[in-house]
Amino acid sequence: MPPAPPPAVAAPLPERFADEIELRIATLHRQLNIQPGQEVLFDAYADAMRANAHAIHALFLQRVPVTDFTAPARLRWYAQLTAAHAEATSRLIAPFDALYQSLSDQQKAAADRYFEQFRQRRKPIWLRRSQ
């Protein structure tokens, strides 16, 4: 069972953010052609996605009252946000791995294609400058 959102998450997600998460979940469900026997595993992954959305939202709510926008403060914020993103991604691994193991070869190929879109989209600056 995925971890519940942190207790600090009392505020609901903004509607557009919640809709985006649900759209991602529905898209993945459709593209993987999830079968009835796989629903429980898929739901665990979807719940982890939702919990992650709440955790990231809570982090941004904590940032709202901040008034220090100096370079060091911004760098600390970026480090905190990056660490939270890494933790959120790590929380997706176990439920997705369990789901992936239940998929047919065709579904696994669809999952591999779906996650291919998350590879680095832009070339690093040093590669762009050499062209």
Side-chain angles (χ1 to χ4, degrees):
M1 188 115 202
V9 182
L13 290 176
E15 188 175 339
R16 284 180 45 189
F17 189 32
D19 289 348
E20 181 180 333
I21 298 303
E22 293 306 318
L23 179 61
R24 286 182 187 179
I25 291 168
T27 299
L28 183 61
H29 189 280
R30 184 180 63 255
Q31 288 185 0
L32 296 185
N33 191 25
I34 296 298
Q35 300 301 304
Q38 298 165 326
E39 287 292 343
V40 170
L41 295 170
F42 184 84
D43 288 346
Y45 179 71
D47 288 345
M49 288 179 68
R50 291 180 187 105
N52 283 344
H54 281 278
I56 296 296
H57 178 61
L59 186 61
F60 276 94
L61 289 178
Q62 291 171 9
R63 174 91 172 132
V64 170
V66 171
T67 57
D68 181 0
F69 296 104
T70 62
R74 287 175 189 259
L75 192 56
R76 282 190 295 277
W77 163 246
Y78 185 69
Q80 186 181 10
L81 184 59
T82 302
H85 184 259
E87 290 170 18
T89 302
S90 292
R91 286 190 294 267
L92 294 174
I93 294 171
F96 189 78
D97 190 45
L99 173 63
Y100 191 84
Q101 297 309 315
S102 78
L103 300 177
S104 68
D105 289 343
Q106 186 177 11
Q107 288 173 304
K108 286 179 180 178
D112 294 343
R113 282 190 306 274
Y114 180 82
F115 282 92
E116 172 66 17
Q117 69 181 315
F118 299 113
R119 65 177 167 60
Q120 184 176 351
R121 289 184 176 95
R122 296 177 57 193
K123 290 182 181 178
I125 291 173
W126 59 272
L127 280 177
R128 285 183 271 163
R129 287 183 182 164
S130 64
Q131 294 178 354

PDB file of all heavy atoms in Angstrom, residues 15-45:
ATOM      1  N   GLU A  15      -7.815  22.387  -8.599  1.00  0.00           N
ATOM      2  CA  GLU A  15      -8.583  21.567  -9.533  1.00  0.00           C
ATOM      3  C   GLU A  15      -7.790  21.215 -10.792  1.00  0.00           C
ATOM      4  O   GLU A  15      -7.794  20.075 -11.239  1.00  0.00           O
ATOM      5  CB  GLU A  15      -9.886  22.267  -9.900  1.00  0.00           C
ATOM      6  CG  GLU A  15     -10.822  21.390 -10.704  1.00  0.00           C
ATOM      7  CD  GLU A  15     -12.170  22.039 -10.958  1.00  0.00           C
ATOM      8  OE1 GLU A  15     -12.540  22.963 -10.217  1.00  0.00           O
ATOM      9  OE2 GLU A  15     -12.828  21.619 -11.909  1.00  0.00           O
ATOM     10  N   ARG A  16      -7.095  22.198 -11.362  1.00  0.00           N
ATOM     11  CA  ARG A  16      -6.340  21.927 -12.596  1.00  0.00           C
ATOM     12  C   ARG A  16      -5.228  20.911 -12.358  1.00  0.00           C
ATOM     13  O   ARG A  16      -4.959  20.072 -13.208  1.00  0.00           O
ATOM     14  CB  ARG A  16      -5.748  23.219 -13.157  1.00  0.00           C
ATOM     15  CG  ARG A  16      -6.784  24.076 -13.847  1.00  0.00           C
ATOM     16  CD  ARG A  16      -6.228  25.350 -14.412  1.00  0.00           C
ATOM     17  NE  ARG A  16      -4.968  25.159 -15.124  1.00  0.00           N
ATOM     18  CZ  ARG A  16      -4.201  26.136 -15.564  1.00  0.00           C
ATOM     19  NH1 ARG A  16      -4.563  27.384 -15.364  1.00  0.00           N
ATOM     20  NH2 ARG A  16      -3.082  25.896 -16.201  1.00  0.00           N
ATOM     21  N   PHE A  17      -4.578  20.990 -11.206  1.00  0.00           N
ATOM     22  CA  PHE A  17      -3.504  20.061 -10.868  1.00  0.00           C
ATOM     23  C   PHE A  17      -4.080  18.660 -10.668  1.00  0.00           C
ATOM     24  O   PHE A  17      -3.553  17.673 -11.189  1.00  0.00           O
ATOM     25  CB  PHE A  17      -2.774  20.559  -9.633  1.00  0.00           C
ATOM     26  CG  PHE A  17      -1.514  19.812  -9.289  1.00  0.00           C
ATOM     27  CD1 PHE A  17      -0.707  19.241 -10.261  1.00  0.00           C
ATOM     28  CD2 PHE A  17      -1.110  19.705  -7.966  1.00  0.00           C
ATOM     29  CE1 PHE A  17       0.467  18.573  -9.925  1.00  0.00           C
ATOM     30  CE2 PHE A  17       0.056  19.044  -7.622  1.00  0.00           C
ATOM     31  CZ  PHE A  17       0.839  18.472  -8.599  1.00  0.00           C
ATOM     32  N   ALA A  18      -5.174  18.570  -9.920  1.00  0.00           N
ATOM     33  CA  ALA A  18      -5.825  17.274  -9.689  1.00  0.00           C
ATOM     34  C   ALA A  18      -6.302  16.677 -11.016  1.00  0.00           C
ATOM     35  O   ALA A  18      -6.139  15.472 -11.256  1.00  0.00           O
ATOM     36  CB  ALA A  18      -6.999  17.441  -8.730  1.00  0.00           C
ATOM     37  N   ASP A  19      -6.874  17.520 -11.882  1.00  0.00           N
ATOM     38  CA  ASP A  19      -7.331  17.042 -13.187  1.00  0.00           C
ATOM     39  C   ASP A  19      -6.172  16.515 -14.022  1.00  0.00           C
ATOM     40  O   ASP A  19      -6.303  15.505 -14.718  1.00  0.00           O
ATOM     41  CB  ASP A  19      -8.047  18.155 -13.953  1.00  0.00           C
ATOM     42  CG  ASP A  19      -9.400  18.516 -13.368  1.00  0.00           C
ATOM     43  OD1 ASP A  19      -9.907  17.758 -12.504  1.00  0.00           O
ATOM     44  OD2 ASP A  19      -9.952  19.559 -13.759  1.00  0.00           O
ATOM     45  N   GLU A  20      -5.029  17.194 -13.958  1.00  0.00           N
ATOM     46  CA  GLU A  20      -3.862  16.752 -14.726  1.00  0.00           C
ATOM     47  C   GLU A  20      -3.378  15.388 -14.247  1.00  0.00           C
ATOM     48  O   GLU A  20      -3.051  14.517 -15.060  1.00  0.00           O
ATOM     49  CB  GLU A  20      -2.738  17.774 -14.611  1.00  0.00           C
ATOM     50  CG  GLU A  20      -1.512  17.390 -15.409  1.00  0.00           C
ATOM     51  CD  GLU A  20      -0.382  18.398 -15.295  1.00  0.00           C
ATOM     52  OE1 GLU A  20      -0.644  19.585 -15.054  1.00  0.00           O
ATOM     53  OE2 GLU A  20       0.780  17.971 -15.449  1.00  0.00           O
ATOM     54  N   ILE A  21      -3.348  15.192 -12.938  1.00  0.00           N
ATOM     55  CA  ILE A  21      -2.925  13.900 -12.384  1.00  0.00           C
ATOM     56  C   ILE A  21      -3.898  12.810 -12.832  1.00  0.00           C
ATOM     57  O   ILE A  21      -3.480  11.737 -13.276  1.00  0.00           O
ATOM     58  CB  ILE A  21      -2.856  13.953 -10.839  1.00  0.00           C
ATOM     59  CG1 ILE A  21      -1.818  14.981 -10.375  1.00  0.00           C
ATOM     60  CG2 ILE A  21      -2.566  12.577 -10.250  1.00  0.00           C
ATOM     61  CD1 ILE A  21      -0.427  14.763 -10.888  1.00  0.00           C
ATOM     62  N   GLU A  22      -5.192  13.086 -12.731  1.00  0.00           N
ATOM     63  CA  GLU A  22      -6.183  12.078 -13.131  1.00  0.00           C
ATOM     64  C   GLU A  22      -6.102  11.786 -14.626  1.00  0.00           C
ATOM     65  O   GLU A  22      -6.299  10.639 -15.052  1.00  0.00           O
ATOM     66  CB  GLU A  22      -7.589  12.517 -12.727  1.00  0.00           C
ATOM     67  CG  GLU A  22      -7.803  12.566 -11.224  1.00  0.00           C
ATOM     68  CD  GLU A  22      -7.456  11.251 -10.511  1.00  0.00           C
ATOM     69  OE1 GLU A  22      -7.788  10.157 -11.022  1.00  0.00           O
ATOM     70  OE2 GLU A  22      -6.847  11.332  -9.419  1.00  0.00           O
ATOM     71  N   LEU A  23      -5.802  12.805 -15.427  1.00  0.00           N
ATOM     72  CA  LEU A  23      -5.641  12.589 -16.863  1.00  0.00           C
ATOM     73  C   LEU A  23      -4.434  11.687 -17.137  1.00  0.00           C
ATOM     74  O   LEU A  23      -4.504  10.777 -17.964  1.00  0.00           O
ATOM     75  CB  LEU A  23      -5.493  13.919 -17.594  1.00  0.00           C
ATOM     76  CG  LEU A  23      -5.288  13.828 -19.106  1.00  0.00           C
ATOM     77  CD1 LEU A  23      -6.481  13.150 -19.774  1.00  0.00           C
ATOM     78  CD2 LEU A  23      -5.071  15.222 -19.685  1.00  0.00           C
ATOM     79  N   ARG A  24      -3.331  11.926 -16.444  1.00  0.00           N
ATOM     80  CA  ARG A  24      -2.147  11.074 -16.609  1.00  0.00           C
ATOM     81  C   ARG A  24      -2.462   9.631 -16.228  1.00  0.00           C
ATOM     82  O   ARG A  24      -2.048   8.683 -16.903  1.00  0.00           O
ATOM     83  CB  ARG A  24      -0.989  11.574 -15.756  1.00  0.00           C
ATOM     84  CG  ARG A  24      -0.344  12.816 -16.278  1.00  0.00           C
ATOM     85  CD  ARG A  24       0.818  13.198 -15.409  1.00  0.00           C
ATOM     86  NE  ARG A  24       1.360  14.489 -15.794  1.00  0.00           N
ATOM     87  CZ  ARG A  24       2.361  15.071 -15.192  1.00  0.00           C
ATOM     88  NH1 ARG A  24       2.947  14.490 -14.156  1.00  0.00           N
ATOM     89  NH2 ARG A  24       2.798  16.247 -15.599  1.00  0.00           N
ATOM     90  N   ILE A  25      -3.180   9.462 -15.126  1.00  0.00           N
ATOM     91  CA  ILE A  25      -3.550   8.118 -14.665  1.00  0.00           C
ATOM     92  C   ILE A  25      -4.442   7.439 -15.698  1.00  0.00           C
ATOM     93  O   ILE A  25      -4.208   6.281 -16.077  1.00  0.00           O
ATOM     94  CB  ILE A  25      -4.222   8.189 -13.277  1.00  0.00           C
ATOM     95  CG1 ILE A  25      -3.194   8.594 -12.218  1.00  0.00           C
ATOM     96  CG2 ILE A  25      -4.892   6.865 -12.918  1.00  0.00           C
ATOM     97  CD1 ILE A  25      -3.790   8.973 -10.869  1.00  0.00           C
ATOM     98  N   ALA A  26      -5.457   8.146 -16.173  1.00  0.00           N
ATOM     99  CA  ALA A  26      -6.381   7.570 -17.165  1.00  0.00           C
ATOM    100  C   ALA A  26      -5.666   7.241 -18.475  1.00  0.00           C
ATOM    101  O   ALA A  26      -5.928   6.197 -19.086  1.00  0.00           O
ATOM    102  CB  ALA A  26      -7.537   8.530 -17.414  1.00  0.00           C
ATOM    103  N   THR A  27      -4.761   8.111 -18.886  1.00  0.00           N
ATOM    104  CA  THR A  27      -4.015   7.879 -20.122  1.00  0.00           C
ATOM    105  C   THR A  27      -3.157   6.631 -19.996  1.00  0.00           C
ATOM    106  O   THR A  27      -3.143   5.780 -20.893  1.00  0.00           O
ATOM    107  CB  THR A  27      -3.138   9.104 -20.463  1.00  0.00           C
ATOM    108  OG1 THR A  27      -3.994  10.228 -20.661  1.00  0.00           O
ATOM    109  CG2 THR A  27      -2.303   8.869 -21.707  1.00  0.00           C
ATOM    110  N   LEU A  28      -2.454   6.498 -18.888  1.00  0.00           N
ATOM    111  CA  LEU A  28      -1.615   5.326 -18.683  1.00  0.00           C
ATOM    112  C   LEU A  28      -2.467   4.062 -18.622  1.00  0.00           C
ATOM    113  O   LEU A  28      -2.130   3.041 -19.232  1.00  0.00           O
ATOM    114  CB  LEU A  28      -0.778   5.473 -17.412  1.00  0.00           C
ATOM    115  CG  LEU A  28       0.205   4.342 -17.131  1.00  0.00           C
ATOM    116  CD1 LEU A  28       1.221   4.214 -18.261  1.00  0.00           C
ATOM    117  CD2 LEU A  28       0.903   4.576 -15.798  1.00  0.00           C
ATOM    118  N   HIS A  29      -3.594   4.131 -17.932  1.00  0.00           N
ATOM    119  CA  HIS A  29      -4.501   2.985 -17.825  1.00  0.00           C
ATOM    120  C   HIS A  29      -4.950   2.535 -19.212  1.00  0.00           C
ATOM    121  O   HIS A  29      -4.927   1.344 -19.534  1.00  0.00           O
ATOM    122  CB  HIS A  29      -5.708   3.376 -16.963  1.00  0.00           C
ATOM    123  CG  HIS A  29      -6.592   2.227 -16.602  1.00  0.00           C
ATOM    124  ND1 HIS A  29      -7.525   1.698 -17.458  1.00  0.00           N
ATOM    125  CD2 HIS A  29      -6.672   1.506 -15.450  1.00  0.00           C
ATOM    126  CE1 HIS A  29      -8.149   0.706 -16.871  1.00  0.00           C
ATOM    127  NE2 HIS A  29      -7.648   0.566 -15.641  1.00  0.00           N
ATOM    128  N   ARG A  30      -5.308   3.494 -20.026  1.00  0.00           N
ATOM    129  CA  ARG A  30      -5.777   3.192 -21.400  1.00  0.00           C
ATOM    130  C   ARG A  30      -4.634   2.655 -22.260  1.00  0.00           C
ATOM    131  O   ARG A  30      -4.787   1.648 -22.952  1.00  0.00           O
ATOM    132  CB  ARG A  30      -6.396   4.436 -22.014  1.00  0.00           C
ATOM    133  CG  ARG A  30      -6.994   4.217 -23.399  1.00  0.00           C
ATOM    134  CD  ARG A  30      -7.618   5.481 -23.988  1.00  0.00           C
ATOM    135  NE  ARG A  30      -6.626   6.532 -24.196  1.00  0.00           N
ATOM    136  CZ  ARG A  30      -6.474   7.622 -23.434  1.00  0.00           C
ATOM    137  NH1 ARG A  30      -7.270   7.818 -22.405  1.00  0.00           N
ATOM    138  NH2 ARG A  30      -5.549   8.515 -23.691  1.00  0.00           N
ATOM    139  N   GLN A  31      -3.480   3.312 -22.214  1.00  0.00           N
ATOM    140  CA  GLN A  31      -2.374   2.902 -23.076  1.00  0.00           C
ATOM    141  C   GLN A  31      -1.811   1.536 -22.693  1.00  0.00           C
ATOM    142  O   GLN A  31      -1.334   0.812 -23.560  1.00  0.00           O
ATOM    143  CB  GLN A  31      -1.274   3.963 -23.079  1.00  0.00           C
ATOM    144  CG  GLN A  31      -1.695   5.201 -23.848  1.00  0.00           C
ATOM    145  CD  GLN A  31      -0.578   6.223 -23.977  1.00  0.00           C
ATOM    146  OE1 GLN A  31       0.534   6.039 -23.495  1.00  0.00           O
ATOM    147  NE2 GLN A  31      -0.899   7.327 -24.630  1.00  0.00           N
ATOM    148  N   LEU A  32      -1.894   1.196 -21.422  1.00  0.00           N
ATOM    149  CA  LEU A  32      -1.415  -0.120 -20.991  1.00  0.00           C
ATOM    150  C   LEU A  32      -2.483  -1.195 -21.142  1.00  0.00           C
ATOM    151  O   LEU A  32      -2.189  -2.372 -20.953  1.00  0.00           O
ATOM    152  CB  LEU A  32      -0.936  -0.074 -19.541  1.00  0.00           C
ATOM    153  CG  LEU A  32       0.262   0.818 -19.244  1.00  0.00           C
ATOM    154  CD1 LEU A  32       0.688   0.672 -17.798  1.00  0.00           C
ATOM    155  CD2 LEU A  32       1.414   0.524 -20.181  1.00  0.00           C
ATOM    156  N   ASN A  33      -3.706  -0.777 -21.455  1.00  0.00           N
ATOM    157  CA  ASN A  33      -4.809  -1.732 -21.610  1.00  0.00           C
ATOM    158  C   ASN A  33      -4.912  -2.624 -20.360  1.00  0.00           C
ATOM    159  O   ASN A  33      -4.872  -3.846 -20.439  1.00  0.00           O
ATOM    160  CB  ASN A  33      -4.618  -2.573 -22.871  1.00  0.00           C
ATOM    161  CG  ASN A  33      -5.849  -3.375 -23.215  1.00  0.00           C
ATOM    162  OD1 ASN A  33      -6.958  -3.015 -22.843  1.00  0.00           O
ATOM    163  ND2 ASN A  33      -5.656  -4.481 -23.910  1.00  0.00           N
ATOM    164  N   ILE A  34      -5.030  -1.964 -19.212  1.00  0.00           N
ATOM    165  CA  ILE A  34      -5.071  -2.668 -17.924  1.00  0.00           C
ATOM    166  C   ILE A  34      -6.281  -3.592 -17.886  1.00  0.00           C
ATOM    167  O   ILE A  34      -7.410  -3.187 -18.199  1.00  0.00           O
ATOM    168  CB  ILE A  34      -5.120  -1.659 -16.754  1.00  0.00           C
ATOM    169  CG1 ILE A  34      -3.839  -0.819 -16.726  1.00  0.00           C
ATOM    170  CG2 ILE A  34      -5.350  -2.355 -15.416  1.00  0.00           C
ATOM    171  CD1 ILE A  34      -2.560  -1.603 -16.510  1.00  0.00           C
ATOM    172  N   GLN A  35      -6.025  -4.833 -17.508  1.00  0.00           N
ATOM    173  CA  GLN A  35      -7.054  -5.864 -17.440  1.00  0.00           C
ATOM    174  C   GLN A  35      -7.606  -5.943 -16.011  1.00  0.00           C
ATOM    175  O   GLN A  35      -6.957  -5.488 -15.064  1.00  0.00           O
ATOM    176  CB  GLN A  35      -6.464  -7.215 -17.865  1.00  0.00           C
ATOM    177  CG  GLN A  35      -5.910  -7.211 -19.284  1.00  0.00           C
ATOM    178  CD  GLN A  35      -6.972  -6.855 -20.319  1.00  0.00           C
ATOM    179  OE1 GLN A  35      -8.016  -7.513 -20.401  1.00  0.00           O
ATOM    180  NE2 GLN A  35      -6.728  -5.801 -21.092  1.00  0.00           N
ATOM    181  N   PRO A  36      -8.795  -6.517 -15.856  1.00  0.00           N
ATOM    182  CA  PRO A  36      -9.398  -6.574 -14.516  1.00  0.00           C
ATOM    183  C   PRO A  36      -8.486  -7.153 -13.435  1.00  0.00           C
ATOM    184  O   PRO A  36      -8.452  -6.643 -12.316  1.00  0.00           O
ATOM    185  CB  PRO A  36     -10.643  -7.452 -14.725  1.00  0.00           C
ATOM    186  CG  PRO A  36     -11.010  -7.211 -16.160  1.00  0.00           C
ATOM    187  CD  PRO A  36      -9.698  -7.052 -16.886  1.00  0.00           C
ATOM    188  N   GLY A  37      -7.724  -8.178 -13.736  1.00  0.00           N
ATOM    189  CA  GLY A  37      -6.831  -8.781 -12.754  1.00  0.00           C
ATOM    190  C   GLY A  37      -5.649  -7.899 -12.379  1.00  0.00           C
ATOM    191  O   GLY A  37      -4.949  -8.187 -11.405  1.00  0.00           O
ATOM    192  N   GLN A  38      -5.425  -6.840 -13.142  1.00  0.00           N
ATOM    193  CA  GLN A  38      -4.309  -5.929 -12.889  1.00  0.00           C
ATOM    194  C   GLN A  38      -4.751  -4.639 -12.198  1.00  0.00           C
ATOM    195  O   GLN A  38      -3.915  -3.810 -11.834  1.00  0.00           O
ATOM    196  CB  GLN A  38      -3.619  -5.571 -14.208  1.00  0.00           C
ATOM    197  CG  GLN A  38      -3.016  -6.771 -14.908  1.00  0.00           C
ATOM    198  CD  GLN A  38      -2.663  -6.485 -16.350  1.00  0.00           C
ATOM    199  OE1 GLN A  38      -3.342  -5.716 -17.041  1.00  0.00           O
ATOM    200  NE2 GLN A  38      -1.593  -7.104 -16.822  1.00  0.00           N
ATOM    201  N   GLU A  39      -6.045  -4.474 -12.011  1.00  0.00           N
ATOM    202  CA  GLU A  39      -6.587  -3.227 -11.449  1.00  0.00           C
ATOM    203  C   GLU A  39      -6.011  -2.894 -10.078  1.00  0.00           C
ATOM    204  O   GLU A  39      -5.692  -1.746  -9.797  1.00  0.00           O
ATOM    205  CB  GLU A  39      -8.111  -3.266 -11.367  1.00  0.00           C
ATOM    206  CG  GLU A  39      -8.817  -3.154 -12.687  1.00  0.00           C
ATOM    207  CD  GLU A  39      -8.692  -1.788 -13.358  1.00  0.00           C
ATOM    208  OE1 GLU A  39      -8.332  -0.790 -12.696  1.00  0.00           O
ATOM    209  OE2 GLU A  39      -8.973  -1.725 -14.566  1.00  0.00           O
ATOM    210  N   VAL A  40      -5.898  -3.894  -9.207  1.00  0.00           N
ATOM    211  CA  VAL A  40      -5.397  -3.634  -7.846  1.00  0.00           C
ATOM    212  C   VAL A  40      -3.966  -3.090  -7.914  1.00  0.00           C
ATOM    213  O   VAL A  40      -3.632  -2.122  -7.217  1.00  0.00           O
ATOM    214  CB  VAL A  40      -5.469  -4.911  -6.978  1.00  0.00           C
ATOM    215  CG1 VAL A  40      -4.740  -4.731  -5.659  1.00  0.00           C
ATOM    216  CG2 VAL A  40      -6.920  -5.294  -6.740  1.00  0.00           C
ATOM    217  N   LEU A  41      -3.144  -3.682  -8.762  1.00  0.00           N
ATOM    218  CA  LEU A  41      -1.765  -3.216  -8.897  1.00  0.00           C
ATOM    219  C   LEU A  41      -1.714  -1.832  -9.532  1.00  0.00           C
ATOM    220  O   LEU A  41      -0.931  -0.979  -9.109  1.00  0.00           O
ATOM    221  CB  LEU A  41      -0.950  -4.215  -9.732  1.00  0.00           C
ATOM    222  CG  LEU A  41      -0.768  -5.590  -9.087  1.00  0.00           C
ATOM    223  CD1 LEU A  41      -0.165  -6.572 -10.087  1.00  0.00           C
ATOM    224  CD2 LEU A  41       0.083  -5.491  -7.837  1.00  0.00           C
ATOM    225  N   PHE A  42      -2.559  -1.606 -10.526  1.00  0.00           N
ATOM    226  CA  PHE A  42      -2.588  -0.288 -11.155  1.00  0.00           C
ATOM    227  C   PHE A  42      -3.079   0.756 -10.161  1.00  0.00           C
ATOM    228  O   PHE A  42      -2.537   1.866 -10.105  1.00  0.00           O
ATOM    229  CB  PHE A  42      -3.483  -0.284 -12.404  1.00  0.00           C
ATOM    230  CG  PHE A  42      -3.441   1.031 -13.109  1.00  0.00           C
ATOM    231  CD1 PHE A  42      -2.436   1.318 -14.021  1.00  0.00           C
ATOM    232  CD2 PHE A  42      -4.378   2.022 -12.833  1.00  0.00           C
ATOM    233  CE1 PHE A  42      -2.360   2.540 -14.648  1.00  0.00           C
ATOM    234  CE2 PHE A  42      -4.316   3.263 -13.454  1.00  0.00           C
ATOM    235  CZ  PHE A  42      -3.303   3.522 -14.366  1.00  0.00           C
ATOM    236  N   ASP A  43      -4.088   0.413  -9.372  1.00  0.00           N
ATOM    237  CA  ASP A  43      -4.612   1.356  -8.382  1.00  0.00           C
ATOM    238  C   ASP A  43      -3.551   1.735  -7.353  1.00  0.00           C
ATOM    239  O   ASP A  43      -3.499   2.890  -6.908  1.00  0.00           O
ATOM    240  CB  ASP A  43      -5.847   0.779  -7.679  1.00  0.00           C
ATOM    241  CG  ASP A  43      -7.063   0.739  -8.584  1.00  0.00           C
ATOM    242  OD1 ASP A  43      -7.057   1.377  -9.665  1.00  0.00           O
ATOM    243  OD2 ASP A  43      -8.041   0.046  -8.213  1.00  0.00           O
ATOM    244  N   ALA A  44      -2.690   0.802  -6.984  1.00  0.00           N
ATOM    245  CA  ALA A  44      -1.610   1.118  -6.036  1.00  0.00           C
ATOM    246  C   ALA A  44      -0.662   2.140  -6.650  1.00  0.00           C
ATOM    247  O   ALA A  44      -0.225   3.083  -5.978  1.00  0.00           O
ATOM    248  CB  ALA A  44      -0.855  -0.155  -5.647  1.00  0.00           C
ATOM    249  N   TYR A  45      -0.357   1.979  -7.937  1.00  0.00           N
ATOM    250  CA  TYR A  45       0.507   2.943  -8.615  1.00  0.00           C
ATOM    251  C   TYR A  45      -0.198   4.301  -8.713  1.00  0.00           C
ATOM    252  O   TYR A  45       0.406   5.340  -8.432  1.00  0.00           O
ATOM    253  CB  TYR A  45       0.895   2.423 -10.003  1.00  0.00           C
ATOM    254  CG  TYR A  45       1.775   3.378 -10.759  1.00  0.00           C
ATOM    255  CD1 TYR A  45       3.097   3.581 -10.390  1.00  0.00           C
ATOM    256  CD2 TYR A  45       1.282   4.106 -11.837  1.00  0.00           C
ATOM    257  CE1 TYR A  45       3.913   4.470 -11.068  1.00  0.00           C
ATOM    258  CE2 TYR A  45       2.088   4.998 -12.524  1.00  0.00           C
ATOM    259  CZ  TYR A  45       3.397   5.175 -12.141  1.00  0.00           C
ATOM    260  OH  TYR A  45       4.200   6.063 -12.815  1.00  0.00           O
TER     261      TYR A  45
END
